[in-house]
Amino acid sequence: MENKWFLDIITTEFLGGKINIDQTLKLLNKFNVSYDYVHVKKLFKKNDKQKSGVITMEDFRAIYRSLMHRPEFHELFCSYSPNKKFLTAEKLADFLRKEQFELGAGEGRAVALINTYEPISEAKNKKEMSFEGFIRYLLSEECSLFKVLHKKVYQDMSYPMCDYFISSSHNTYLISDQLVGPSHLWGYSSALDKGCRCLEIDCWDGQDNEPIVYHGHTLTSKISFKNVINVIHKHAFVASDYPIVLSLENHCSPPQQEVMAAYMLDILGDQLVTTALNNEMPTELPSPEEMKFKIMIKNKKVGTLEETLRRKGKTCRGQVMETEETAESEEEEEETHLLKKAGARKPSLKKKEKDHQVKVAMLLSELVIYTKSRKFVSFEDSRKKQKFYENNSIGEVKGQKLINKMAHSFVLHTASFITRIYPKGTRTDSSNYDPQAFWNVGCQMVALNFQTPGTQMDLLNGKFMDNGGSGYILKPEYLRKKHTEYNPFDVIGKYHPVTLTIKIISGHQLPPSNLSKSNKADPLVKLEIHGVPEDMSKHQTSVIKNNAFNPRWDETFTVNIQVPDLALIRFVVEDRMSVIANDFLGQFTLPFTGMNKGYRHIPLVSKLGVPLSPASLFVYVWYHEQ
């Protein structure tokens, strides 16, 4: 039966007797086989024993089996199929319950899978699954490690915005380093297309009363503010319907601030938040649900939200008022350091230092509704004086000190106020800090340099892949409660700890190493747990020599996770180059809460987050509450 199905598909291709590499690829497409050209070419050469550039039907069958009939799949299939040829609906249901943790799976569920994945019609008619169908099921979305449900917005989006982690980028206009690299509109379109919801815009006075965007006093190139707003308008809601916050680092004079406000009003139109919901003074921040398809401005603001709402309808064009400078001393110090490095001169800050007041165009100030920038003084000061619609920006160095000294106070602060973390100014190469430490204390806007690939961006991409890639992740309840006891340094046994077991079984069609002369690899897998300090751990498989096509490890790791809601699991595949150096081949990062149990495949992505299909890992996952 299986033979007949196979021959029915390939016979016409072999009417001429033999086929070349292009025809081989076409035929694999006909079978819906995912392949990496490098690996198929190698298999073709191996089977073309005459070195004639063409292969026989039997040679093609050998290539097909190498790609599809993986031994680890066959062992699994045979353990549930007494005749080693077919799984009855009853046996398949048995497999689903015991191995895939579908505890309620019955024959109805099994028949539905047979109808979906079984390519052989005779087997399908008998309500049986052949090995061919079983392979297709194991490689389907159903058996992906990441839960299908989590690819859609599944969380409650009706809590106030401070109750969510929000995907945030730093100096979004930069696409290289922080000193001499280009500023580019692509920075904004790219970040938005990845689901980023908080963008940073550094605004400076330009010629002809046209505000510009660049990293001030450095040699980075300049782009027009108007073009930035146009690109944001175009890409704003491509990846997500949920609100965007434009974090303005505003260095413009009042006349050019007016120009900025006019551009935002004109270009963004109804998307721009210009007043509170129903024009009424709120008592808490709005929810992402209420702010769908809306863009908010985060900037310095004159006076209170109440005063703004009372003035609604009155013209404020041409009016300028003074307000307290919100930039932190740390930010100023960092900028000075940057300028020294860049060899640029910094304008005198004497006047600003003396009175700490800055001039703000009222037209721009009135556009700041729910996201007023407020200088962070201390947690105590915020507790006494900060309003719910005011937020703080804290540099990574100061933020890390606050975590080390008063983590619980930090958690209480972020339960009430949106807090943005940004990289220190000495990261002139646009490197990133570890975002996990700040998520652990509930910081909502942990801003990273999106242009710089690496572990930190893998963590951000992995975290925000959840909840449909909407850019908003609901914080666990213990990070939202106003009087929470939670402290990331005191967690043992308190937050539904789990024991997680992961068996790394095999890899398939891994990308051959770029550094390898023979275009092969000696792969190993690293398993990393990122979370609260107690949960951080790293594990590593042995090295499989000279096999990027189908390495087999069969190695099991067991870890205890004290705070599963905050844990991210990162799988990294590397090529062992020498005792001290490995070459990155691919990775996949996801939240612990988004992991399926059972036999699962893990699609690998590149350093830049691009899928490396069909490169994957095959694993078995099991976890239980302690």
Side-chain angles (χ1 to χ4, degrees):
M1 196 194 293
E2 201 170 327
N3 239 348
K4 181 181 180 304
W5 162 79
F6 189 80
L7 291 172
D8 283 348
I9 293 176
I10 69 169
T11 304
T12 51
E13 307 291 329
F14 278 96
L15 289 175
K18 293 184 176 183
I19 60 172
N20 62 20
I21 183 83
D22 290 339
Q23 291 166 303
T24 300
L25 299 176
K26 261 189 204 159
L27 209 39
L28 290 173
N29 290 334
K30 224 172 169 182
F31 279 101
N32 291 321
V33 174
S34 290
Y35 58 81
D36 180 318
Y37 178 71
V38 171
H39 288 299
V40 174
K41 195 174 160 193
K42 209 175 286 178
L43 288 170
F44 188 91
K45 268 187 173 172
K46 186 179 158 190
N47 283 280
D48 175 16
K49 297 172 187 74
Q50 310 298 317
K51 305 282 177 277
S52 58
V54 287
I55 56 169
T56 65
M57 195 183 281
E58 273 313 302
D59 295 332
F60 175 77
R61 189 192 290 266
I63 291 172
Y64 174 82
R65 282 190 170 152
S66 294
L67 289 167
M68 293 292 278
H69 290 201
R70 293 160 59 175
E72 61 273 35
F73 288 2
H74 199 247
E75 289 156 23
L76 201 48
F77 178 78
C78 290
S79 65
Y80 280 84
S81 168
N83 67 3
K84 315 274 190 274
K85 289 181 178 173
F86 296 100
L87 285 174
T88 62
E90 183 191 355
K91 286 287 184 188
L92 180 55
D94 208 17
F95 171 80
L96 295 172
R97 287 190 300 270
K98 288 180 181 168
E99 307 292 0
Q100 302 301 74
F101 297 88
E102 292 190 29
L103 303 182
E107 288 191 31
R109 164 75 173 142
V111 170
L113 287 179
I114 290 166
N115 288 335
T116 306
Y117 299 108
E118 181 51 60
I120 302 172
S121 47
E122 292 92 330
K124 197 185 282 192
N125 294 338
K126 286 184 179 174
K127 296 187 171 51
E128 291 179 335
M129 184 177 265
S130 69
F131 182 43
E132 292 290 345
F134 188 69
I135 293 165
R136 282 157 176 77
Y137 160 67
L138 284 180
L139 294 174
S140 73
E141 282 291 284
E142 306 241 10
C143 290
S144 182
L145 181 64
F146 186 53
K147 291 176 179 172
V148 173
L149 171 71
H150 289 210
K151 292 186 175 182
K152 294 182 179 147
V153 174
Y154 67 94
Q155 295 179 341
D156 187 340
M157 302 301 276
S158 62
Y159 289 94
M161 274 179 66
C162 61
D163 284 357
Y164 296 82
F165 294 118
I166 302 169
S167 177
S168 304
S169 83
H170 172 249
N171 287 357
T172 317
Y173 50 89
L174 293 179
I175 59 169
S176 182
D177 65 74
Q178 308 279 315
L179 290 177
V180 295
S183 303
H184 204 286
L185 296 172
W186 179 83
Y188 289 97
S189 59
S190 165
L192 285 167
D193 292 348
K194 288 176 186 164
C196 182
R197 298 288 89 185
C198 177
L199 309 168
E200 188 175 16
I201 312 177
D202 282 18
C203 317
W204 297 82
D205 279 358
Q207 292 177 337
D208 305 321
N209 210 29
E210 284 288 338
I212 53 171
V213 174
Y214 84 114
H215 202 190
H217 311 304
T218 67
L219 303 175
T220 58
S221 62
K222 302 170 175 70
I223 49 180
S224 93
F225 179 80
K226 181 184 181 182
N227 287 346
V228 167
I229 300 303
N230 270 315
V231 165
I232 289 169
H233 180 242
K234 186 177 171 188
H235 290 263
F237 302 106
V238 170
S240 167
D241 301 348
Y242 290 97
I244 288 170
V245 176
L246 301 185
S247 181
L248 303 182
E249 194 174 300
N250 182 2
H251 304 274
C252 288
S253 60
Q256 296 211 16
Q257 289 179 34
E258 281 221 339
V259 175
M260 286 163 55
Y263 280 143
M264 291 190 288
L265 283 161
D266 181 42
I267 295 165
L268 301 177
D270 290 345
Q271 291 178 342
L272 188 65
V273 174
T274 57
T275 185
L277 286 165
N278 305 320
N279 284 323
E280 293 167 5
M281 183 59 204
T283 55
E284 63 178 8
L285 288 174
S287 69
E289 195 61 39
E290 288 171 310
M291 290 287 109
K292 262 185 165 181
F293 302 109
K294 292 290 183 187
I295 297 175
M296 302 181 214
I297 306 304
K298 176 169 123 45
N299 188 53
K300 297 179 272 272
K301 180 176 181 65
V302 175
T304 64
L305 181 54
E306 288 95 328
E307 290 164 350
T308 293
L309 296 176
R310 277 202 294 275
R311 284 193 293 264
K312 191 79 189 132
K314 293 180 183 168
T315 179
C316 52
R317 199 173 284 277
Q319 291 180 28
V320 177
M321 292 186 78
E322 289 194 334
T323 186
E324 186 188 9
E325 172 60 87
T326 58
E328 300 182 355
S329 56
E330 184 181 344
E331 219 168 337
E332 296 290 0
E333 281 164 28
E334 287 172 6
E335 201 172 80
T336 307
H337 180 97
L338 266 176
L339 301 177
K340 276 184 193 162
K341 249 187 147 171
R345 286 187 60 221
K346 183 164 184 169
S348 169
L349 288 173
K350 277 180 186 165
K351 187 170 184 298
K352 193 191 275 189
E353 280 164 9
K354 198 177 83 181
D355 56 17
H356 290 288
Q357 295 290 302
V358 288
K359 288 184 165 60
V360 179
M362 289 303 288
L363 192 65
L364 180 60
S365 172
E366 300 288 73
L367 296 181
V368 178
I369 306 297
Y370 296 115
T371 40
K372 175 184 177 181
S373 299
R374 181 184 192 272
K375 184 175 180 179
F376 178 76
V377 179
S378 68
F379 294 133
E380 190 183 0
D381 172 77
S382 291
R383 197 163 56 248
K384 288 177 181 168
K385 300 176 188 170
Q386 192 160 336
K387 296 181 167 63
F388 68 89
Y389 57 83
E390 295 178 323
N391 56 70
N392 313 113
S393 282
I394 301 175
E396 62 163 296
V397 175
K398 186 174 189 176
Q400 192 59 60
K401 282 178 188 163
L402 290 170
I403 290 173
N404 296 342
K405 288 181 182 168
M406 43 205 327
H408 181 242
S409 298
F410 209 152
V411 171
L412 290 171
H413 179 80
T414 60
S416 296
F417 308 112
I418 288 180
T419 303
R420 180 176 176 273
I421 306 295
Y422 58 88
K424 61 186 177 186
T426 50
R427 292 186 181 276
T428 53
D429 58 353
S430 296
S431 61
N432 281 313
Y433 56 87
D434 179 6
Q436 187 68 48
F438 297 101
W439 292 327
N440 289 342
V441 291
C443 294
Q444 294 85 347
M445 296 177 171
V446 181
L448 295 187
N449 292 303
F450 268 48
Q451 73 271 38
T452 308
T455 306
Q456 299 84 3
M457 271 308 293
D458 292 346
L459 294 177
L460 186 139
N461 290 333
K463 187 173 190 70
F464 288 101
M465 179 170 68
D466 204 3
N467 204 30
S470 62
Y472 283 82
I473 305 290
L474 183 63
K475 297 202 283 185
E477 191 189 8
Y478 47 81
L479 282 173
R480 307 195 308 259
K481 284 197 307 204
K482 300 290 181 262
H483 304 290
T484 181
E485 297 290 314
Y486 166 80
N487 179 331
F489 296 105
D490 177 19
V491 296
I492 292 177
K494 296 180 178 181
Y495 301 98
H496 309 291
V498 297
T499 299
L500 168 66
T501 297
I502 295 180
K503 181 180 185 182
I504 311 270
I505 301 170
S506 61
H508 190 59
Q509 297 197 64
L510 303 178
S513 168
N514 298 325
L515 304 177
S516 156
K517 290 191 180 80
S518 60
N519 213 14
K520 290 178 181 173
D522 297 343
L524 60 98
V525 181
K526 288 182 174 175
L527 173 65
E528 301 174 355
I529 316 296
H530 296 261
V532 296
E534 186 68 37
D535 290 341
M536 300 288 279
S537 68
K538 290 187 179 181
H539 314 269
Q540 186 176 311
T541 66
S542 54
V543 177
I544 305 294
K545 285 282 184 191
N546 203 16
N547 185 354
F549 179 61
N550 56 0
R552 184 90 181 254
W553 290 280
D554 287 320
E555 292 181 42
T556 303
F557 305 95
T558 298
V559 291
N560 292 320
I561 300 180
Q562 294 296 330
V563 189
D565 288 331
L566 291 174
L568 291 166
I569 315 296
R570 183 169 182 256
F571 298 85
V572 191
V573 183
E574 293 181 347
D575 175 27
R576 169 58 57 88
M577 300 302 294
S578 68
V579 178
I580 52 163
N582 295 341
D583 182 31
F584 174 94
L585 296 181
Q587 70 85 33
F588 189 76
T589 305
L590 79 168
F592 168 80
T593 51
M595 275 206 309
N596 277 311
K597 291 179 180 177
Y599 286 98
R600 304 289 163 183
H601 68 266
I602 303 174
L604 296 177
V605 296
S606 73
K607 266 190 178 134
L608 296 171
V610 177
L612 292 168
S613 178
S616 63
L617 295 175
F618 187 53
V619 299
Y620 180 77
V621 175
W622 187 67
Y623 50 85
H624 63 90
E625 279 205 27
Q626 290 173 7

